[in-house]
Amino acid sequence: MTQLQGLLDTEAIRKDFPILDRLVHDGKKIVYLDNAATSQKPRQVLDALNEYYERHNANVHRGVHVLAEEATALYEGARDKVAAFINAPSRDEVIFTKNASESLNLVANMLGWADEPYRVDRDTEIVITEMEHHSNIVPWQLLAQRTGAKLKWFGLTDDGRLDISNIDRVITEKTKIVSFVLVSNILGTVNPVEEIVRRAQDVGALVLIDASQAAPHMVLDVQSLGADFVAFTGHKMCGPTGIGVLWGRQELLEDLPPFLGGGEMIETVSMHSSTYAPAPHKFEAGTPPIAQAVGLGAAVDYLSSLGMDSIAAHEHAITEYAVKRLLEVPDLRIIGPGTAEDRGAAISFTLGDIHPHDVGQVLDEQGIAVRVGHHCARPVCLRYGIPATTRASFYLYSTPAEVDALIDGLEHVRNFFG
Amino acid sequence: MTQLQGLLDTEAIRKDFPILDRLVHDGKKIVYLDNAATSQKPRQVLDALNEYYERHNANVHRGVHVLAEEATALYEGARDKVAAFINAPSRDEVIFTKNASESLNLVANMLGWADEPYRVDRDTEIVITEMEHHSNIVPWQLLAQRTGAKLKWFGLTDDGRLDISNIDRVITEKTKIVSFVLVSNILGTVNPVEEIVRRAQDVGALVLIDASQAAPHMVLDVQSLGADFVAFTGHKMCGPTGIGVLWGRQELLEDLPPFLGGGEMIETVSMHSSTYAPAPHKFEAGTPPIAQAVGLGAAVDYLSSLGMDSIAAHEHAITEYAVKRLLEVPDLRIIGPGTAEDRGAAISFTLGDIHPHDVGQVLDEQGIAVRVGHHCARPVCLRYGIPATTRASFYLYSTPAEVDALIDGLEHVRNFFG
Amino acid sequence: MKLDSMYQDIILDHYRHPHGKGLRDGDAEVHHVNPTCGDEITLRVKLDGEKVVDISYESQGCSISQASASVLNDLVVGQSVDEAMKVQETFLELMQSKGRLEPDEAMEEVLEDAVAFAGVSKYPARVKCALLSWMAWKDATAKALSEAPVPNEEGA
Amino acid sequence: MKLDSMYQDIILDHYRHPHGKGLRDGDAEVHHVNPTCGDEITLRVKLDGEKVVDISYESQGCSISQASASVLNDLVVGQSVDEAMKVQETFLELMQSKGRLEPDEAMEEVLEDAVAFAGVSKYPARVKCALLSWMAWKDATAKALSEAPVPNEEGA
Ligand SMILES: Cc1ncc(COP(=O)(O)O)c(C=O)c1O
Ligand SMILES: Cc1ncc(COP(=O)(O)O)c(C=O)c1O
């Protein structure tokens, strides 16, 4: 084990995460390196969920009894916490969804049904990138099919970066929306926001940033990003499953049409017509994920108590160490940036011609949990001519010793299939 | 207190629900009569959630490590449980959504984008009823606006029943979909499924049943209902918030287009085009509400262990008693059926000209939680010329003593504003 | 009893005998609803230059929203728009205080009967009821100031 | 070690030296993918009346899916379609057994090398890998039986 700079006190932190003591395969302590798929949950978040259900559970809004008022205060309080966490100018810009995928689909659908100047239809263009998660590809393919708009994208360089050399040809006067990932879940790449946002603004296109792999790991400031919409998901940032966020600029949320219709999102309903509540409620049809929002609020408190800068520094140190050690493994090829600069803590690789499924299986047998496959980013695999990758991804509780365990595990894989 | 027949052993049952011991307003034990808004959660469901997060949490599908396999088995196991609970012919017909509202919107959107013969567009008709929850009105208004289809509905009789005397004129050869509520959340009315389904089938229309207020309270057998789709929501049936269900007939789910696009719902993705996974995954974009599905599975186990028939009998006895006692209160008018026949355990009423908000507030002060307002069914209030109602709604843990507390509370309300 | 802090006698009086209720001639009309509970108000303002000469309204709602419209009429009719806006802001401040603000003398002077709503501010679900008419008035006034006067017929 | 029950030598042998790999002339072609992990196979069957005369395939995937395609080729080529379907069903039964089925003699007679996959059935995520080629074969055969033969050029 090595002495790295800038690490968090993982010994203390790991006590907050009951699952990290889990033993698997005949008593091996789990080495959880699948954080880009989902994070584990600290005791503080589970306590918030239990406290909600055991003391305050009620449907929100519309209620005058104690429980309804408490549940509403907790739910709306979670919105305040999330708004502060991402430095939103207004709490009303924070919409709770079920996951990042819904957030992304929500924007695609709003634009499909919007009036001018936002409306995506025939003769307009949508821009994404080749490194998007399927959840930021398929909604746009569906929108393009259904409206006749053209779908365009930025390609990738050989070292796993976005190729924006042709930015003026990709983003044009016809572009209505540019949607791209801030940190890639497969390559780990951190993308250049400023340049893309500037070009989009020049041509009057809206910008949606998929921050699913950013929000858990770094300071996310929607104002300094300069985008119009930012999407992310609770379960990757110590929160429960079943909750996502869409942040959007207030004027846009006012102008754009609703997506799902139903209870909570209306102002007044008659059989003949309805009017809608102001944002965020306009976009939150039905009983919201109340407990999950409360849990996400607790997660945001937890992350803030550690400090997003400290978390980023910790992960940077771990990532730097992991990249260095992985590159020492014979026949290992990193898919994505080969250094820790401008990259997140997800590292994809191939190991000779051993299929990732087999790599993952043999690592699992040693208690090491990694993810294998195309990580919902199949175009990246196609781009690099590989069927799949093995991905190790770190988080605030990851330790150098776990990196060492991974390296030992890979040695074992090579022997097994050698 | 009275001796009623057919009651459950509420003394034992109430021990499963920690929140029912909650004291409010200076030590009054809560009398929770807001079950139609959301139910409370038994210890067994909370335990399942904790167990999931503390021992098994991982993203589902696509994983070869132990946690991913366990999480997948739990998530898919919950689907099996729900399928059995509603007697679905196949587990693949059970789609997990975030709530009933999403389930209803999902069907409306599928039909808007479908090919013939299902496609809703200009020259076709959509049929709903005047007693629908807003979540089964607004999606159809949106669909009608966006496609040019015509929205029609069944009206109500003076005693709170569906008026289907004109069924042959409402449901016609042009009708593509008939969507109606099985048990009204505001009136309590149980609707005549068979007659409506028969007429819909005669004209080749699809049928969607909103069973949000039925699934928690009675045997729900999708095969004997004869509908094409059935929607309901987890949080009203002892499950967590953030989870809903759409059941649909397999052939339909195969033929109909997806709604949300993203991870999990695809078969293969390239930048140019994608193909979709078979149902149910086709309709579950992104990381699903994993823990919430597991929690719903535990809720279904809990309900089944009591027996849905016994639950229905218990609620019937309570409802019968409550109707009788409410009708003894001066100036009280029940909005909805005035007997316990063909009605669920939600009872709406007005009390002289005291506004429901004021009724609810004074009841709350006594620890009695009811809901006031239009209950997301404003057209019903318009129909009966009232601004709002007070609604008391019962569940498997409700007792005759709680009915008595309500009656005493209403007496107090009358004195306060007398 | 805690309830008494919300249902002060003054509030119940206004509720039972609302001042200025009914729709009369006005320069601008708005319709506001409280989606939370369905309370509704149609409200008209009549200005004479800078002076609020009438606030008339038809409304449906709970005791709090009814009483608050009545108090609005009492306090604001006869004031200049500027003075009235100050009253509105003070009332808003009181209602958003979550029961943590003890009205001082200065506030009492501005709000008169309306200080009785201090207790309502403890009940988040009811704050919107209390504010409904005040928000409608503010909206209608802005409309009246920016628009040509409504002809009489339309007001009928 | 538990892993050895999945990665039997027979499986690793088939993986390293797959039988019948490559695309050849056929009566029907299908392309199947495993969305869970991206494994893909393009598979052709050639029938002569009731007899399976060739199964050719191009595939990409893990050791389990590669080995299983190789074993499929071994077991099924040369059989009648009816016999082959029985082998497929038996293999399916084994793979869905969740490790709870100890192959008996009758099963071993039908499955030969394929009984080595018994250990895989304990790993739900890998069962689909093992079944990919078998499902593709079943699909292709149904297609071949219902369609006119594919002309040679299309098969090229
Ligand atoms: C009859 C009915 N339909 C639909 C819904 C919507 O359910 P949810 O709010 O969980 O989406 C409800 C509950 O509010 C309901 O009572
Ligand atoms: C970059 C990125 N975008 C979007 C998503 C989708 O998030 P969810 O599955 O929670 O909807 C993910 C995670 O799977 C992701 O990594």
Side-chain angles (χ1 to χ4, degrees):
Chain A
M1 210 178 112
T2 331
Q3 215 49 47
L4 304 182
Q5 296 298 306
L7 294 187
L8 291 166
D9 178 1
T10 48
E11 207 174 312
I13 288 173
R14 293 174 73 90
K15 294 209 178 87
D16 293 332
F17 292 82
I19 206 173
L20 297 180
D21 289 328
R22 172 77 196 273
L23 304 179
V24 296
H25 295 310
D26 310 321
K28 299 190 192 77
K29 202 172 213 187
I30 194 153
V31 174
Y32 185 74
L33 303 181
D34 192 17
N35 292 287
T38 200
S39 76
Q40 297 305 339
K41 323 303 173 200
R43 166 73 46 216
Q44 289 83 340
V45 168
L46 304 186
D47 287 348
L49 292 174
N50 285 319
E51 163 95 8
Y52 169 78
Y53 283 127
E54 289 178 10
R55 293 189 49 80
H56 311 294
N57 176 64
N59 212 327
V60 292
H61 310 131
R62 296 167 300 159
V64 292
H65 59 78
V66 181
L67 297 185
E69 290 193 350
E70 290 175 351
T72 304
L74 284 166
Y75 178 67
E76 294 299 333
R79 199 189 305 279
D80 292 327
K81 290 179 184 186
V82 171
F85 185 71
I86 61 174
N87 194 27
S90 159
R91 66 182 305 281
D92 294 334
E93 298 180 338
V94 172
I95 299 164
F96 286 125
T97 60
K98 69 173 173 177
N99 55 24
S101 302
E102 185 188 353
S103 301
L104 298 165
N105 279 275
L106 172 44
V107 177
N109 277 275
M110 288 194 293
L111 299 184
W113 295 118
D115 292 326
E116 288 304 343
Y118 307 117
R119 191 179 181 85
V120 168
D121 54 16
R122 193 172 302 280
D123 291 331
T124 67
E125 295 177 354
I126 299 161
V127 173
I128 59 174
T129 86
E130 203 175 359
M131 68 165 84
E132 296 311 312
H133 189 279
H134 292 163
S135 292
N136 199 25
I137 298 177
V138 183
W140 304 110
Q141 289 179 336
L142 287 170
L143 182 64
Q145 275 163 32
R146 289 168 179 179
T147 59
K150 185 170 168 194
L151 182 62
K152 295 164 77 176
W153 56 87
F154 289 106
L156 306 181
T157 65
D158 287 342
D159 61 339
R161 304 265 172 205
L162 220 49
D163 176 6
I164 54 169
S165 57
N166 56 352
I167 189 166
D168 290 349
R169 263 174 303 136
V170 176
I171 303 178
T172 72
E173 299 289 334
K174 290 188 169 180
T175 308
K176 288 285 185 169
I177 175 84
V178 180
S179 184
F180 67 98
V181 73
L182 183 44
V183 181
S184 159
N185 70 307
I186 179 169
L187 297 168
T189 316
V190 177
N191 285 318
V193 172
E194 219 183 301
E195 223 174 316
I196 299 176
V197 168
R198 197 180 322 119
R199 172 66 187 163
Q201 284 176 346
D202 282 351
V203 300
L206 296 175
V207 175
L208 164 57
I209 291 183
D210 175 2
S212 302
Q213 297 288 346
H217 303 291
M218 54 176 72
V219 173
L220 188 70
D221 179 331
V222 296
Q223 300 196 46
S224 76
L225 284 176
D228 299 288
F229 302 100
V230 175
F232 53 98
T233 199
H235 66 91
K236 294 188 203 281
M237 52 194 291
C238 295
T241 58
I243 181 91
V245 173
L246 177 68
W247 169 85
R249 282 201 295 114
Q250 189 132 26
E251 317 85 89
L252 291 172
L253 298 184
E254 269 163 31
D255 287 354
L256 290 168
F259 174 38
L260 303 182
E264 303 279 358
M265 58 72 76
I266 55 93
E267 184 183 62
T268 173
V269 173
S270 77
M271 293 308 285
H272 294 277
S273 70
S274 300
T275 57
Y276 309 118
H281 304 292
K282 179 163 124 190
F283 301 103
E284 294 182 354
T287 303
I290 308 170
Q292 293 72 39
V294 173
L296 179 58
V300 154
D301 283 344
Y302 185 81
L303 294 174
S304 301
S305 76
L306 294 176
M308 292 311 295
D309 277 328
S310 308
I311 291 170
H314 174 84
E315 293 183 16
H316 184 76
I318 295 280
T319 303
E320 197 161 42
Y321 178 61
V323 167
K324 180 176 133 266
R325 295 238 36 206
L326 284 169
L327 290 175
E328 290 163 12
V329 176
D331 301 329
L332 188 145
R333 172 184 165 210
I334 288 184
I335 308 297
T339 73
E341 297 324 301
D342 287 333
R343 70 141 43 246
I347 310 178
S348 275
F349 55 86
T350 57
L351 187 63
D353 59 2
I354 309 174
H355 193 278
H357 258 210
D358 295 315
V359 176
Q361 195 80 56
V362 177
L363 288 176
D364 172 58
E365 196 72 17
Q366 300 164 75
I368 303 166
V370 296
R371 189 126 310 216
V372 299
H374 49 47
H375 314 290
C376 290
R378 188 168 172 273
V380 170
C381 294
L382 294 178
R383 163 67 176 77
Y384 295 108
I386 49 175
T389 78
T390 303
R391 181 185 70 188
S393 53
F394 305 96
Y395 203 20
L396 48 84
Y397 38 66
S398 301
T399 65
E402 290 183 314
V403 174
D404 295 338
L406 170 66
I407 302 298
D408 292 347
L410 290 172
E411 197 51 43
H412 188 72
V413 172
R414 293 185 61 246
N415 292 339
F416 193 90
F417 290 100
Chain B
M1 211 178 112
T2 330
Q3 215 49 48
L4 305 182
Q5 295 300 306
L7 294 187
L8 290 166
D9 179 0
T10 48
E11 206 174 313
I13 288 174
R14 292 174 73 90
K15 295 210 177 85
D16 293 333
F17 291 81
I19 206 172
L20 297 181
D21 288 329
R22 172 75 197 274
L23 303 180
V24 296
H25 295 310
D26 310 320
K28 299 191 192 75
K29 201 173 214 187
I30 192 153
V31 174
Y32 185 75
L33 302 183
D34 192 18
N35 293 287
T38 200
S39 75
Q40 297 304 340
K41 324 302 174 200
R43 166 74 44 219
Q44 289 81 341
V45 168
L46 304 186
D47 286 349
L49 292 175
N50 285 319
E51 163 96 7
Y52 170 77
Y53 283 127
E54 290 178 9
R55 293 190 48 79
H56 310 294
N57 175 62
N59 213 325
V60 292
H61 309 131
R62 296 168 301 159
V64 292
H65 59 79
V66 181
L67 297 185
E69 290 192 349
E70 290 174 353
T72 304
L74 285 166
Y75 177 67
E76 294 299 333
R79 198 189 305 280
D80 292 327
K81 289 179 184 184
V82 171
F85 185 72
I86 61 174
N87 194 27
S90 158
R91 67 183 305 281
D92 294 334
E93 298 181 338
V94 173
I95 299 166
F96 285 126
T97 60
K98 68 173 173 179
N99 54 25
S101 302
E102 185 188 355
S103 301
L104 297 164
N105 278 275
L106 172 44
V107 177
N109 277 274
M110 288 195 294
L111 299 184
W113 296 119
D115 292 327
E116 288 304 341
Y118 306 117
R119 190 178 182 87
V120 168
D121 55 16
R122 193 172 302 281
D123 292 331
T124 67
E125 295 177 354
I126 300 162
V127 172
I128 60 175
T129 88
E130 203 174 0
M131 69 165 83
E132 296 310 312
H133 188 279
H134 293 162
S135 292
N136 200 25
I137 298 176
V138 183
W140 304 110
Q141 289 180 335
L142 286 170
L143 182 64
Q145 275 163 33
R146 289 169 179 178
T147 59
K150 184 168 170 195
L151 183 63
K152 296 165 78 176
W153 56 87
F154 289 105
L156 306 182
T157 66
D158 287 342
D159 61 338
R161 305 264 172 207
L162 220 49
D163 175 6
I164 54 171
S165 57
N166 57 352
I167 188 165
D168 290 348
R169 264 174 303 136
V170 176
I171 302 179
T172 72
E173 298 290 333
K174 289 189 170 182
T175 309
K176 288 284 184 168
I177 174 85
V178 180
S179 184
F180 68 99
V181 72
L182 183 44
V183 181
S184 160
N185 69 307
I186 179 168
L187 298 167
T189 317
V190 177
N191 285 318
V193 172
E194 217 182 301
E195 223 173 316
I196 299 175
V197 167
R198 197 180 323 117
R199 172 66 187 164
Q201 283 175 348
D202 282 350
V203 301
L206 296 176
V207 175
L208 164 57
I209 292 182
D210 175 1
S212 301
Q213 297 287 347
H217 303 290
M218 54 176 72
V219 173
L220 187 69
D221 179 331
V222 296
Q223 299 195 49
S224 76
L225 285 177
D228 299 288
F229 303 100
V230 175
F232 53 99
T233 199
H235 66 90
K236 294 189 204 282
M237 52 194 290
C238 296
T241 59
I243 181 92
V245 173
L246 177 68
W247 169 84
R249 282 202 296 114
Q250 187 132 27
E251 319 82 88
L252 291 172
L253 298 183
E254 269 162 31
D255 287 354
L256 290 168
F259 174 37
L260 302 182
E264 302 280 358
M265 58 71 78
I266 55 93
E267 184 184 63
T268 173
V269 172
S270 77
M271 294 307 286
H272 294 278
S273 69
S274 300
T275 56
Y276 309 119
H281 303 293
K282 178 163 125 189
F283 302 103
E284 295 182 354
T287 303
I290 307 170
Q292 292 73 38
V294 173
L296 180 58
V300 153
D301 284 345
Y302 185 80
L303 294 174
S304 301
S305 76
L306 295 176
M308 292 312 294
D309 277 328
S310 309
I311 292 170
H314 173 83
E315 293 183 16
H316 184 76
I318 295 280
T319 303
E320 197 160 42
Y321 179 61
V323 166
K324 180 176 133 266
R325 295 239 34 209
L326 283 169
L327 290 175
E328 290 163 13
V329 176
D331 301 329
L332 188 144
R333 171 183 166 212
I334 289 183
I335 308 297
T339 72
E341 296 326 299
D342 288 333
R343 71 143 39 248
I347 310 178
S348 275
F349 56 86
T350 57
L351 187 63
D353 59 4
I354 309 175
H355 193 279
H357 258 211
D358 295 316
V359 176
Q361 194 81 55
V362 177
L363 288 177
D364 172 58
E365 197 71 17
Q366 300 164 76
I368 303 166
V370 296
R371 189 127 310 215
V372 299
H374 49 47
H375 315 288
C376 290
R378 187 167 174 274
V380 170
C381 293
L382 295 178
R383 163 69 176 80
Y384 294 107
I386 48 176
T389 77
T390 302
R391 181 186 69 189
S393 53
F394 306 95
Y395 202 20
L396 48 85
Y397 37 66
S398 301
T399 65
E402 290 183 314
V403 174
D404 294 338
L406 170 67
I407 303 298
D408 292 348
L410 290 172
E411 198 50 43
H412 188 72
V413 172
R414 294 185 60 245
N415 291 339
F416 193 90
F417 292 100
Chain C
M1 201 172 99
K2 198 172 146 218
L3 258 196
D4 295 328
S5 83
M6 170 179 314
Y7 293 115
Q8 306 251 338
D9 284 341
I10 293 182
I11 292 184
L12 292 178
D13 273 356
H14 275 280
Y15 165 50
R16 295 201 181 99
H17 312 289
H19 303 180
K21 192 162 178 169
L23 279 179
R24 295 172 295 278
D25 186 19
D27 300 322
E29 172 179 314
V30 297
H31 180 78
H32 275 212
V33 306
N34 179 348
T36 319
C37 57
D39 284 2
E40 303 195 15
I41 190 165
T42 302
L43 181 145
R44 291 188 193 147
V45 286
K46 180 140 195 74
L47 302 181
D48 182 2
E50 267 298 300
K51 199 169 154 201
V52 184
V53 295
D54 194 17
I55 301 176
S56 64
Y57 60 96
E58 212 36 273
S59 65
Q60 142 180 313
C62 63
S63 56
I64 303 297
S65 74
Q66 300 302 307
S68 140
S70 170
V71 166
L72 165 75
N73 179 285
D74 259 18
L75 279 183
V76 164
V77 172
Q79 306 253 31
S80 76
V81 170
D82 276 0
E83 286 162 344
M85 284 291 175
K86 227 170 285 160
V87 180
Q88 197 266 353
E89 274 159 34
T90 311
F91 187 68
L92 189 64
E93 188 193 340
L94 178 66
M95 294 318 297
Q96 292 177 339
S97 70
K98 303 190 173 161
R100 285 196 290 260
L101 197 152
E102 190 59 54
D104 57 12
E105 243 175 68
M107 189 175 254
E108 282 188 25
E109 199 150 303
V110 178
L111 291 185
E112 301 176 28
D113 274 11
V115 293
F117 286 84
V120 177
S121 72
K122 276 179 254 169
Y123 296 81
R126 307 304 293 275
V127 168
K128 281 189 183 167
C129 307
L131 288 177
L132 182 66
S133 55
W134 292 76
M135 292 305 188
W137 171 76
K138 195 181 166 190
D139 190 14
T141 302
K143 224 168 148 182
L145 292 174
S146 71
E147 274 178 13
V150 178
N152 266 1
E153 309 83 86
E154 198 176 311
Chain D
M1 200 172 97
K2 199 173 145 217
L3 259 197
D4 295 328
S5 82
M6 173 183 309
Y7 293 116
Q8 305 252 337
D9 285 341
I10 292 181
I11 292 184
L12 292 179
D13 274 355
H14 275 281
Y15 165 49
R16 295 199 181 101
H17 312 286
H19 302 180
K21 192 162 180 169
L23 280 179
R24 294 172 298 276
D25 186 20
D27 300 324
E29 173 180 312
V30 296
H31 180 78
H32 275 212
V33 306
N34 179 347
T36 320
C37 57
D39 284 2
E40 303 194 14
I41 191 166
T42 303
L43 181 145
R44 291 187 193 147
V45 287
K46 181 141 194 74
L47 302 181
D48 183 2
E50 268 298 300
K51 200 171 154 197
V52 183
V53 295
D54 195 16
I55 302 176
S56 64
Y57 59 97
E58 213 36 274
S59 64
Q60 139 181 314
C62 64
S63 56
I64 303 299
S65 75
Q66 300 302 306
S68 137
S70 170
V71 166
L72 165 75
N73 178 286
D74 259 19
L75 280 182
V76 164
V77 172
Q79 305 252 30
S80 75
V81 170
D82 276 359
E83 285 161 345
M85 285 292 176
K86 224 170 288 159
V87 179
Q88 198 267 352
E89 274 159 33
T90 310
F91 187 68
L92 188 65
E93 188 193 341
L94 179 65
M95 294 318 298
Q96 293 177 337
S97 69
K98 305 191 172 161
R100 286 196 289 260
L101 196 152
E102 190 59 54
D104 58 10
E105 242 173 70
M107 189 175 255
E108 282 187 26
E109 200 150 302
V110 179
L111 291 185
E112 301 176 28
D113 275 12
V115 293
F117 286 84
V120 176
S121 71
K122 275 179 254 169
Y123 296 82
R126 307 304 294 275
V127 167
K128 281 189 183 167
C129 307
L131 288 177
L132 182 66
S133 55
W134 292 77
M135 292 305 189
W137 170 76
K138 194 180 165 189
D139 191 15
T141 302
K143 225 168 148 182
L145 290 174
S146 70
E147 274 177 12
V150 178
N152 266 1
E153 310 84 86
E154 196 175 312

